[in-house]
Amino acid sequence: DADVTQTPRNRITKTGKRIMLECSQTKGHDRMYWYRQDPGLGLRLIYYSFDVKDINKGEISDGYSVSRQAQAKFSLSLESAIPNQTALYFCATSDPQGDGNTIYFGEGSWLTVV
Amino acid sequence: KNEVEQSPQNLTAQEGEFITINCSYSVGISALHWLQQHPGGGIVSLFMLSSGKKKHGRLIATINIQEKHSSLHITASHPRDSAVYICAVINFGNEKLTFGTGTRLTIIP
């Protein structure tokens, strides 16, 4: 099984619809992240969480919300999707203390908003 | 100017060639990652380094903290090395990652 699992892997949704991307990890890491990747741009941080009670906005959090349901689960929601949220989304985990700060990525979720 | 710059943006080479991808950054960092992204989209970590040099198989990563520069080398390149290689730095202080835009490498048989 993958260390970091994202669902769905692909989704097409309509403008205005709510959509949730889910992420679960088996690494036992406290830190989890959601990134967005667009062509020609580096990955950009949407939200991050350093433990279950800690949620922080990243550089592009507008239009997104997150929920850290458990240490292993971190979901990203688009409350009212818009076309410029069409992108490849990645969940990631890391553990500076126990795992040398290695970062583990999910396989990505392709989201298209039409 | 981006905080993390990679060069070249695109690189095409013949199988067997020695490959170098460069990363320069303008912020203070605690460490730097080299990542590989295959056409399917998944990203894997190749190296994390904060000084000196690391080697794994045909891949070698170096970093010069004083010059704020890192390089990723691939020896005896192979078509399966074709991917996008991404440099990412861990910002000193807030520990956030800042990513370069990637180098698309294509190795021709």
Side-chain angles (χ1 to χ4, degrees):
Chain A
D1 288 342
D3 295 320
V4 183
T5 302
Q6 291 182 228
T7 57
R9 294 291 314 283
N10 292 281
R11 177 63 57 89
I12 300 173
T13 192
K14 293 185 177 181
T15 296
K17 292 291 186 182
R18 182 179 188 271
I19 180 146
M20 179 183 288
L21 306 180
E22 299 188 356
C23 177
S24 63
Q25 52 112 346
T26 59
K27 299 296 295 181
H29 291 168
D30 285 328
R31 297 187 177 192
M32 297 188 73
Y33 311 83
W34 275 104
Y35 292 97
R36 166 180 173 156
Q37 186 178 41
D38 296 276
L41 298 177
L43 277 78
R44 292 181 292 166
L45 182 62
I46 306 172
Y47 270 95
Y48 63 103
S49 170
F50 280 2
D51 67 42
V52 175
K53 297 181 180 178
D54 176 73
I55 302 288
N56 303 281
K57 292 183 177 181
E59 57 185 302
I60 53 163
S61 59
D62 287 349
Y64 302 94
S65 63
V66 290
S67 175
R68 185 80 183 266
Q69 301 96 324
Q71 186 199 42
K73 296 184 182 294
F74 192 37
S75 60
L76 175 72
S77 294
L78 288 67
E79 296 300 327
S80 180
I82 56 176
N84 75 2
Q85 291 178 313
T86 294
L88 177 58
Y89 291 84
F90 285 99
C91 175
T93 74
S94 69
D95 181 0
Q97 303 305 320
D99 206 357
N101 226 355
T102 299
I103 187 163
Y104 296 85
F105 288 86
E107 295 183 349
S109 296
W110 290 93
L111 177 64
T112 303
V113 184
V114 298
Chain B
K1 189 180 191 308
N2 292 335
E3 292 180 342
V4 180
E5 298 273 0
Q6 288 185 236
S7 63
Q9 287 186 307
N10 294 280
L11 177 58
T12 300
Q14 292 290 129
E15 183 174 356
E17 287 189 36
F18 181 81
I19 303 298
T20 296
I21 300 170
N22 296 299
C23 175
S24 296
Y25 53 91
S26 58
V27 296
I29 71 168
S30 56
L32 180 147
H33 288 275
W34 280 103
L35 309 168
Q36 181 189 56
Q37 184 173 24
H38 274 286
I43 299 174
V44 296
S45 177
L46 298 174
F47 296 102
M48 189 189 70
L49 63 167
S50 55
S51 65
K53 175 180 175 179
K54 287 190 176 180
K55 185 176 189 291
H56 185 254
R58 295 179 295 105
L59 274 60
I60 303 165
T62 63
I63 188 167
N64 185 318
I65 296 294
Q66 287 73 29
E67 295 186 2
K68 296 188 174 180
H69 181 270
S70 177
S71 293
L72 177 68
H73 306 286
I74 305 175
T75 62
S77 59
H78 190 277
R80 65 175 175 266
D81 297 325
S82 297
V84 175
Y85 292 84
I86 301 169
C87 170
V89 300
I90 302 174
N91 288 259
F92 185 80
N94 64 22
E95 297 187 48
K96 292 181 186 176
L97 278 172
T98 303
F99 294 81
T101 55
T103 295
R104 184 175 300 276
L105 174 66
T106 303
I107 303 297
I108 300 171

